[in-house]
Amino acid sequence: MTAHVATLLVACQDRKGLVASLAQLLYGHGANILDSDQHSDPVAGMFFQRLRFDMSTLTTDRVSLEAGIREVGARFGMDWRLAYGTKPRRVAVLCSKQEHCLYDLLIRHRAGELTCEIACVISNHATAEPIAQHFGLPFHHLPVTPETKAQQEAAAVELIEGNHVDLIVLARYMQILSPELVARYPGRIINIHHSFLPAFVGANPYRQAYEKGVKLIGATSHYVTAELDQGPIIEQTTIRVSHKDSVDDLVRKGRDLEKRALAQAVRWHLEDRILVYAGKTVVFD
Amino acid sequence: MTAHVATLLVACQDRKGLVASLAQLLYGHGANILDSDQHSDPVAGMFFQRLRFDMSTLTTDRVSLEAGIREVGARFGMDWRLAYGTKPRRVAVLCSKQEHCLYDLLIRHRAGELTCEIACVISNHATAEPIAQHFGLPFHHLPVTPETKAQQEAAAVELIEGNHVDLIVLARYMQILSPELVARYPGRIINIHHSFLPAFVGANPYRQAYEKGVKLIGATSHYVTAELDQGPIIEQTTIRVSHKDSVDDLVRKGRDLEKRALAQAVRWHLEDRILVYAGKTVVFD
Amino acid sequence: MTAHVATLLVACQDRKGLVASLAQLLYGHGANILDSDQHSDPVAGMFFQRLRFDMSTLTTDRVSLEAGIREVGARFGMDWRLAYGTKPRRVAVLCSKQEHCLYDLLIRHRAGELTCEIACVISNHATAEPIAQHFGLPFHHLPVTPETKAQQEAAAVELIEGNHVDLIVLARYMQILSPELVARYPGRIINIHHSFLPAFVGANPYRQAYEKGVKLIGATSHYVTAELDQGPIIEQTTIRVSHKDSVDDLVRKGRDLEKRALAQAVRWHLEDRILVYAGKTVVFD
Amino acid sequence: MTAHVATLLVACQDRKGLVASLAQLLYGHGANILDSDQHSDPVAGMFFQRLRFDMSTLTTDRVSLEAGIREVGARFGMDWRLAYGTKPRRVAVLCSKQEHCLYDLLIRHRAGELTCEIACVISNHATAEPIAQHFGLPFHHLPVTPETKAQQEAAAVELIEGNHVDLIVLARYMQILSPELVARYPGRIINIHHSFLPAFVGANPYRQAYEKGVKLIGATSHYVTAELDQGPIIEQTTIRVSHKDSVDDLVRKGRDLEKRALAQAVRWHLEDRILVYAGKTVVFD
């Protein structure tokens, strides 16, 4: 139903005439702008825009439109990305033993909340197999040991490439990806960290939170970069906790946070709402 | 510092070319668009836009720019409003015995959160006088009885008119305004109702909430219309309550909600972020 | 692991000596109090208490302890309920076509968040069958038409009775229960209503919310009573919405609210944390 | 109205009979328990209880009651504290140039939210003087330079001692207290830190948050200990932020968080709801 809709994301140095040029360009090709959201960062001197437009009224064609965007983009030094609604993204979900984020994504996908194709589910444990099967999805069991990590990653990459995967979602995947793998998919790997970053980086954040005695716990979804738990933050959620909560209670309460923060990030990514700049995200929500 | 910034708010039937026409118009006059936010309501077939632009680079002048907007507006049947940063709005705050919203607005104003001039404080009780004085503001005591209501309102109108007031804020003003007064200032009176509307309309909402045994209470800021507590909602806030909370506790917790919901509404109104349509608000935040 | 733990819930007219009598009684039998939460309602003049205690150190036996409680209860006119951790409650989940609350409860149950046995899943649609199967649970398809409503309910009651069900959870079950069925299980049927009650009672609350233009939507879990959507409220959740959200967006956002409010209510009920009084709940959380 | 109410706070090694002994003791003296809240920490093996009781029905006297508590306390090795409602705490508020927390506390105090006497307002800047005057409170201007820090603190201590101050509230007091001063008032100094601790310790947390690109900012109230920003956390609050928010916007939004987190902490402290253990707080709310 949104097959005829395209989304243009733009980032460049801020200057006069940007909004007008893009609006005029789209209008000139007969495209009808459905949504336009813009952000100027006065500190960085940057301009960001997201334009969603109707292609069904196009008076020219895609080739011509893209040439026009390319021309305007070159003139203003724009970093731009054009996505057509006709081509849903392909997603690979990676998980370990914990099931809640996997279930959550698959249920949301089935309910139509995530406009994508789930290409496959990959896990270092076999436990997720019945879940993937229940949702009619291919499952790949890639067990890993310190010795086999390189081969396991190579097998994962083969699956990702073979399945033409656009987005890799780490749904509580408890393995640290190699720098090579991360570098291969910049801005295309989303992780969920079970703390309110930058607090409680690393292992066992719920235990850290318990020992610190915080009164709120959080979860953070972010793009994966080479530095652990330091990638651009997409979404964060929090919930109240108290002295009554054991570490297990924090883990339980945290599951709800993780599910929501991860699903929101995936949804925004799939709807081309996120731009990354200077280690941060601009989210047109 | 934002004196050279102007804001254009537009509402009209949705159609192709709206975004391009406005962007082109502003560009043609040399204005630099700083922010642009747009909303298309597919159900109502309506288009809404807020454009904030820099006037300091204008290559023509205000008269010419306004003529241009008028021309485009007429072509597309636009309902539009242009506000210049050079002319801060003038606000009258009306209150009764409760002080928390009054204090909150005046403190925020002093901290620079509300870009306006507080023209005066009007109350049917004398208790607010030292507060107005503390902030160096004119205070007018207009006591009211059922018999003197008409005269009291007439006196209030005189103050509002005499002070060139643009916005009337009812900061827990416990009098119901007459239909005539309301009709005189459409979209220019903001009220705070101490419940999560449409629940608990009318008197004693905290008592109603207590008796119902709700687990969250709320506050609602809205434009005042002829129908009591039914005007377009601008902002709503909630907080958890429990069986431990007495009616007094709800009142206390509610004060925090009221302050925030009212201040947020006033702030958004002053920044020309609100459009009213079909009894609802579009808030470009 | 909590098999040796018992929970005593008490409600009575408030008077001196209640806390001491119960504490002394449990101590006298060798029980170790793990948790004690108390609430005195000065308006109603009522006293409520929840005592969780360790039975493994009992120096007498259950029969003797219960006799003691019965004696103290009679002396103070207490309404009391004693639950042993050895006997998990049996739950029937009723649903219709919407799957999100059903999935959510079954996933939480499998993760150990809900200490109960899911006796069966009952639906007026066959669509939930694969879900029940996936979780290894009995499924009963009881289709219903206006003409067969009485028989369908009779069949449901038979399943509930035959399965020794303690708690009936309406997980977006879109049928209105007959007064007879409701009267049969007082305080033992939990429903989720997809609005912030008492706002938007009845059908299509998300559409009502959309038309009203509220800035927050909510969900409410409550015990079912004869009057539709009027039973004692257990939990309420809210989330921000804006003019950008269509009715479908509200439905989507609301699913998250419904899941959490329902699961929280079921969890609290199963942990004997809820007392109902005067149409409201006391929740010892 | 709560002059006849006393509050007993207890902490000790967990063991059988604690609840019964205290309840029995109070009952024996004719005191009526109004509220009783208890927490057992199974990890630390600790027991914590808060008992609020009515003294007006006492059949003995205070001396006798205190002797009884002392006896039970010694038997179980309890750390206990008894506070009478007849003796409101005396509070000193310390602030610097920022006014919002000071205003907030004084307004809440006047509204009856904080049951204490504000002994005085102390600041290293003169700007707060008119605020203290407006609320009819003594103001002391104690300017400070790196050279005069020791004398300034000595003057502050003299004021605190001379005013019989029970609680010191740092309402955005931008000076770091000396270890000696902190050691003098253990558990009696409450600070507000403008971040979601342990994230963004130290200076300029809003700038740190801006640069990190977090999607929520927070505030933390805590008891002051020798280690900067590391004392036991009492309350934390958060609010959503986005790429649209400048550092100034974070500062503005943060003010609301700071006010609420600080006022809540002060309120809980004054109502004897907080116990500190192992660097964390137990808050009976």
Side-chain angles (χ1 to χ4, degrees):
Chain A
M1 81 202 224
T2 52
H4 59 284
V5 173
T7 307
L8 178 64
L9 279 171
V10 167
C12 63
Q13 289 284 319
D14 200 5
R15 50 184 280 196
K16 244 187 348 185
L18 292 165
V19 173
S21 296
L22 289 167
Q24 198 56 44
L25 172 76
L26 293 174
Y27 182 61
H29 285 263
N32 189 27
I33 296 174
L34 302 171
D35 274 308
S36 141
D37 208 343
Q38 176 210 327
H39 173 62
S40 295
D41 181 335
V43 176
M46 290 292 291
F47 169 89
F48 307 95
Q49 191 171 19
R50 177 181 184 261
L51 288 152
R52 255 179 90 248
F53 50 93
D54 187 345
M55 300 278 288
S56 66
T57 57
L58 218 61
T59 51
T60 61
D61 61 13
R62 281 194 189 189
V63 174
S64 168
L65 176 69
E66 289 184 22
I69 295 173
R70 205 171 301 120
E71 192 274 321
V72 171
R75 181 148 36 104
F76 292 102
M78 287 172 176
D79 193 7
W80 61 272
R81 195 165 80 225
L82 181 63
Y84 295 108
T86 41
K87 193 173 160 291
R89 297 310 149 73
R90 290 179 59 76
V91 173
V93 182
L94 274 66
C95 64
S96 293
K97 275 194 175 167
Q98 299 229 38
E99 311 173 336
H100 58 285
C101 283
L102 175 64
Y103 262 124
D104 186 69
L105 290 171
L106 302 189
I107 291 168
R108 287 181 197 271
H109 180 253
R110 185 145 93 183
E113 290 187 28
L114 306 172
T115 48
C116 65
E117 292 167 10
I118 309 274
C120 59
V121 175
I122 300 172
S123 178
N124 55 329
H125 293 280
T127 44
E129 182 156 22
I131 301 173
Q133 278 173 347
H134 173 66
F135 288 91
L137 295 170
F139 176 82
H140 304 283
H141 181 202
L142 298 184
V144 64
T145 62
E147 294 74 35
T148 62
K149 192 173 168 68
Q151 297 101 292
Q152 195 250 16
E153 273 205 354
V157 167
E158 203 170 317
L159 285 167
I160 288 161
E161 297 296 324
N163 279 290
H164 308 288
V165 165
D166 299 292
L167 176 68
I168 300 160
V169 179
L170 307 184
R172 296 299 311 274
Y173 182 62
M174 304 306 279
Q175 300 295 315
I176 295 173
L177 303 185
S178 71
E180 296 73 37
L181 184 56
V182 171
R184 191 168 184 142
Y185 303 106
R188 288 171 57 196
I189 311 176
I190 293 177
N191 183 46
I192 179 72
H193 183 75
H194 40 316
S195 89
F196 184 89
L197 289 173
F200 311 130
V201 168
N204 284 325
Y206 291 126
R207 173 154 293 282
Q208 291 182 60
Y210 176 82
E211 278 160 12
K212 180 69 191 167
V214 293
K215 299 301 184 184
L216 292 164
I217 55 167
T220 305
S221 54
H222 62 95
Y223 286 114
V224 175
T225 57
E227 213 179 334
L228 185 67
D229 299 337
Q230 297 294 326
I233 293 172
I234 305 171
E235 170 68 335
Q236 300 190 290
T237 52
T238 52
I239 193 172
R240 289 191 77 80
V241 297
S242 82
H243 62 272
K244 295 182 200 171
D245 291 302
S246 65
V247 174
D248 283 350
D249 290 323
L250 301 194
V251 169
R252 170 178 57 80
K253 288 186 168 185
R255 282 197 289 260
D256 273 357
L257 300 178
E258 296 163 26
K259 288 188 294 186
R260 278 185 286 146
L262 180 59
Q264 184 65 279
V266 171
R267 182 177 164 84
W268 279 335
H269 179 95
L270 293 173
E271 294 179 351
D272 296 293
R273 294 182 180 277
I274 313 177
L275 274 163
V276 172
Y277 183 73
K280 306 197 281 188
T281 59
V282 170
V283 179
F284 294 117
D285 64 332
Chain B
M1 81 203 223
T2 51
H4 59 283
V5 173
T7 308
L8 178 63
L9 279 171
V10 167
C12 64
Q13 289 285 318
D14 199 7
R15 50 184 278 195
K16 246 193 335 191
L18 291 164
V19 173
S21 296
L22 289 167
Q24 198 57 43
L25 171 75
L26 293 174
Y27 182 62
H29 286 262
N32 189 28
I33 296 174
L34 302 171
D35 273 309
S36 141
D37 208 342
Q38 176 211 329
H39 173 61
S40 295
D41 180 334
V43 177
M46 290 293 291
F47 170 88
F48 307 95
Q49 193 171 18
R50 177 181 185 261
L51 288 152
R52 254 179 92 248
F53 51 93
D54 187 345
M55 300 278 289
S56 66
T57 56
L58 217 60
T59 51
T60 61
D61 61 13
R62 282 195 188 188
V63 175
S64 168
L65 176 69
E66 287 184 23
I69 296 174
R70 205 171 301 119
E71 193 274 321
V72 171
R75 182 151 33 107
F76 291 103
M78 287 172 176
D79 192 8
W80 60 274
R81 196 164 82 225
L82 181 63
Y84 295 108
T86 40
K87 192 173 160 293
R89 296 311 148 71
R90 289 179 59 77
V91 173
V93 182
L94 274 65
C95 64
S96 293
K97 276 194 176 166
Q98 300 230 36
E99 312 173 337
H100 57 285
C101 283
L102 175 65
Y103 262 125
D104 186 70
L105 290 171
L106 301 189
I107 292 168
R108 288 181 197 272
H109 180 253
R110 185 145 94 183
E113 291 187 27
L114 305 173
T115 49
C116 65
E117 292 167 9
I118 309 274
C120 60
V121 175
I122 299 171
S123 178
N124 54 330
H125 293 279
T127 45
E129 181 155 22
I131 301 173
Q133 278 174 345
H134 173 65
F135 289 91
L137 296 170
F139 176 80
H140 304 283
H141 182 203
L142 299 183
V144 63
T145 62
E147 293 74 35
T148 63
K149 190 171 169 69
Q151 297 102 290
Q152 195 251 12
E153 273 206 352
V157 166
E158 204 170 318
L159 285 167
I160 288 161
E161 296 295 322
N163 280 289
H164 308 288
V165 164
D166 298 292
L167 176 68
I168 300 161
V169 178
L170 308 184
R172 297 300 310 273
Y173 183 60
M174 304 306 278
Q175 300 294 315
I176 296 172
L177 304 185
S178 71
E180 295 73 34
L181 184 56
V182 171
R184 192 168 182 142
Y185 303 107
R188 288 170 58 195
I189 311 176
I190 294 177
N191 183 46
I192 179 71
H193 183 75
H194 40 316
S195 88
F196 184 89
L197 289 174
F200 310 130
V201 169
N204 284 326
Y206 291 127
R207 173 154 294 281
Q208 290 182 60
Y210 176 82
E211 277 161 12
K212 180 67 189 168
V214 293
K215 299 301 183 184
L216 292 163
I217 56 167
T220 305
S221 54
H222 62 94
Y223 286 114
V224 175
T225 56
E227 213 179 334
L228 185 67
D229 300 336
Q230 296 294 326
I233 293 171
I234 305 170
E235 171 67 336
Q236 300 191 290
T237 51
T238 53
I239 195 172
R240 291 191 74 82
V241 296
S242 82
H243 62 272
K244 295 182 199 171
D245 290 304
S246 64
V247 175
D248 283 350
D249 290 323
L250 301 193
V251 168
R252 171 178 57 81
K253 289 186 167 184
R255 282 198 288 260
D256 273 357
L257 301 178
E258 296 162 27
K259 288 188 293 186
R260 278 185 285 145
L262 180 59
Q264 185 65 278
V266 171
R267 183 177 162 83
W268 279 335
H269 179 95
L270 293 173
E271 294 179 350
D272 295 293
R273 295 181 180 278
I274 313 177
L275 275 162
V276 172
Y277 183 74
K280 306 197 282 187
T281 60
V282 170
V283 179
F284 293 118
D285 64 331
Chain C
M1 79 202 227
T2 52
H4 59 285
V5 173
T7 307
L8 178 63
L9 279 172
V10 167
C12 64
Q13 289 284 318
D14 200 5
R15 50 184 281 195
K16 248 193 334 192
L18 291 166
V19 173
S21 295
L22 289 168
Q24 198 56 44
L25 171 76
L26 293 175
Y27 182 62
H29 285 263
N32 189 29
I33 295 174
L34 302 170
D35 274 309
S36 142
D37 209 342
Q38 175 210 327
H39 174 60
S40 294
D41 180 334
V43 176
M46 290 293 291
F47 170 89
F48 307 94
Q49 192 171 19
R50 177 181 185 260
L51 288 152
R52 254 179 92 247
F53 50 93
D54 187 343
M55 299 279 287
S56 66
T57 56
L58 218 61
T59 50
T60 62
D61 61 13
R62 281 194 188 189
V63 174
S64 169
L65 177 69
E66 288 184 23
I69 295 173
R70 205 171 300 119
E71 192 274 322
V72 171
R75 183 149 34 106
F76 291 102
M78 287 172 176
D79 193 8
W80 60 273
R81 194 164 82 225
L82 182 63
Y84 295 109
T86 40
K87 194 175 159 291
R89 298 308 149 73
R90 289 179 59 77
V91 172
V93 181
L94 273 66
C95 63
S96 292
K97 275 193 174 166
Q98 299 229 37
E99 310 173 338
H100 57 286
C101 283
L102 175 65
Y103 263 124
D104 186 69
L105 290 170
L106 301 189
I107 291 168
R108 287 180 197 271
H109 181 253
R110 185 146 92 183
E113 290 186 28
L114 306 173
T115 49
C116 65
E117 292 167 10
I118 309 274
C120 59
V121 175
I122 299 172
S123 178
N124 54 330
H125 293 280
T127 45
E129 182 155 21
I131 301 172
Q133 279 174 346
H134 174 66
F135 289 92
L137 296 170
F139 176 81
H140 304 282
H141 181 203
L142 299 184
V144 63
T145 61
E147 294 74 36
T148 62
K149 190 170 169 70
Q151 297 102 290
Q152 195 252 14
E153 272 206 354
V157 167
E158 203 170 318
L159 285 167
I160 288 161
E161 297 295 324
N163 280 290
H164 308 288
V165 165
D166 298 292
L167 176 68
I168 299 160
V169 178
L170 307 184
R172 297 297 312 271
Y173 182 61
M174 305 306 279
Q175 300 294 315
I176 295 173
L177 303 186
S178 71
E180 295 73 36
L181 184 56
V182 171
R184 192 167 183 145
Y185 303 106
R188 288 170 58 196
I189 311 176
I190 293 177
N191 183 46
I192 179 72
H193 184 75
H194 39 315
S195 89
F196 184 89
L197 289 174
F200 310 130
V201 168
N204 283 328
Y206 291 125
R207 174 153 292 282
Q208 291 182 59
Y210 176 82
E211 278 161 11
K212 181 67 191 165
V214 293
K215 300 301 184 184
L216 292 164
I217 56 167
T220 305
S221 53
H222 62 94
Y223 286 114
V224 175
T225 56
E227 214 178 334
L228 186 67
D229 300 336
Q230 296 295 325
I233 293 171
I234 305 171
E235 171 68 336
Q236 299 190 290
T237 51
T238 52
I239 194 172
R240 289 191 77 80
V241 296
S242 82
H243 62 272
K244 296 181 200 172
D245 291 303
S246 65
V247 175
D248 284 350
D249 290 323
L250 301 194
V251 168
R252 171 178 56 81
K253 289 185 167 184
R255 282 198 288 260
D256 273 356
L257 300 178
E258 297 162 26
K259 288 188 293 186
R260 278 185 286 144
L262 180 59
Q264 184 65 280
V266 171
R267 182 177 164 84
W268 279 334
H269 179 96
L270 293 173
E271 294 179 350
D272 295 293
R273 294 182 180 276
I274 313 176
L275 274 162
V276 172
Y277 183 73
K280 306 197 282 188
T281 60
V282 170
V283 179
F284 294 118
D285 64 331
Chain D
M1 80 201 223
T2 52
H4 59 282
V5 172
T7 307
L8 178 63
L9 279 172
V10 168
C12 64
Q13 289 285 318
D14 200 5
R15 49 184 280 196
K16 246 190 340 189
L18 291 165
V19 173
S21 295
L22 288 167
Q24 197 56 44
L25 172 75
L26 293 175
Y27 182 61
H29 286 262
N32 189 28
I33 295 174
L34 302 170
D35 274 309
S36 141
D37 209 342
Q38 176 210 329
H39 174 61
S40 294
D41 180 334
V43 176
M46 289 293 291
F47 170 89
F48 307 94
Q49 192 171 17
R50 177 182 185 259
L51 288 152
R52 253 179 92 248
F53 51 93
D54 187 344
M55 300 279 288
S56 66
T57 56
L58 217 62
T59 51
T60 62
D61 61 13
R62 281 194 187 189
V63 175
S64 169
L65 176 70
E66 288 184 23
I69 295 174
R70 205 172 301 120
E71 192 273 321
V72 171
R75 182 152 32 107
F76 291 103
M78 287 172 176
D79 193 7
W80 61 273
R81 195 164 82 225
L82 182 63
Y84 295 109
T86 41
K87 194 174 159 292
R89 299 307 150 72
R90 289 179 61 76
V91 172
V93 181
L94 274 66
C95 63
S96 293
K97 275 194 177 166
Q98 300 229 36
E99 311 173 336
H100 57 285
C101 283
L102 175 65
Y103 262 125
D104 187 69
L105 290 170
L106 301 189
I107 291 168
R108 287 180 197 271
H109 180 252
R110 186 145 94 181
E113 290 187 28
L114 305 173
T115 48
C116 65
E117 292 167 11
I118 309 274
C120 59
V121 175
I122 299 172
S123 179
N124 54 329
H125 294 279
T127 45
E129 182 155 21
I131 301 173
Q133 278 174 346
H134 173 65
F135 288 92
L137 296 170
F139 176 81
H140 304 283
H141 181 203
L142 299 183
V144 63
T145 62
E147 294 73 36
T148 62
K149 191 171 168 69
Q151 297 102 290
Q152 195 251 15
E153 272 205 354
V157 167
E158 203 171 316
L159 285 167
I160 288 161
E161 296 295 323
N163 280 290
H164 307 289
V165 165
D166 298 293
L167 177 68
I168 299 161
V169 179
L170 307 184
R172 296 300 310 273
Y173 182 62
M174 304 307 279
Q175 300 295 315
I176 295 173
L177 303 185
S178 71
E180 295 73 35
L181 184 57
V182 171
R184 192 168 182 142
Y185 303 105
R188 289 170 56 196
I189 311 177
I190 293 177
N191 183 46
I192 179 72
H193 183 74
H194 39 316
S195 89
F196 184 90
L197 289 174
F200 310 130
V201 169
N204 285 326
Y206 291 126
R207 173 154 293 281
Q208 290 182 60
Y210 176 82
E211 277 160 12
K212 180 68 190 168
V214 293
K215 299 302 183 183
L216 292 164
I217 55 166
T220 305
S221 53
H222 62 93
Y223 286 114
V224 175
T225 56
E227 214 179 333
L228 185 68
D229 300 336
Q230 296 294 325
I233 293 171
I234 305 170
E235 171 67 337
Q236 300 190 290
T237 51
T238 52
I239 194 172
R240 290 192 76 81
V241 297
S242 82
H243 62 273
K244 296 181 200 171
D245 291 303
S246 65
V247 174
D248 283 350
D249 290 323
L250 300 194
V251 169
R252 171 178 56 81
K253 288 187 167 184
R255 282 198 287 260
D256 273 356
L257 300 179
E258 297 162 27
K259 288 188 294 186
R260 278 185 285 145
L262 180 59
Q264 184 65 280
V266 171
R267 183 178 162 85
W268 279 335
H269 179 95
L270 293 173
E271 294 179 349
D272 296 293
R273 294 181 180 277
I274 314 177
L275 274 162
V276 172
Y277 184 74
K280 306 196 282 188
T281 59
V282 170
V283 179
F284 294 117
D285 65 332

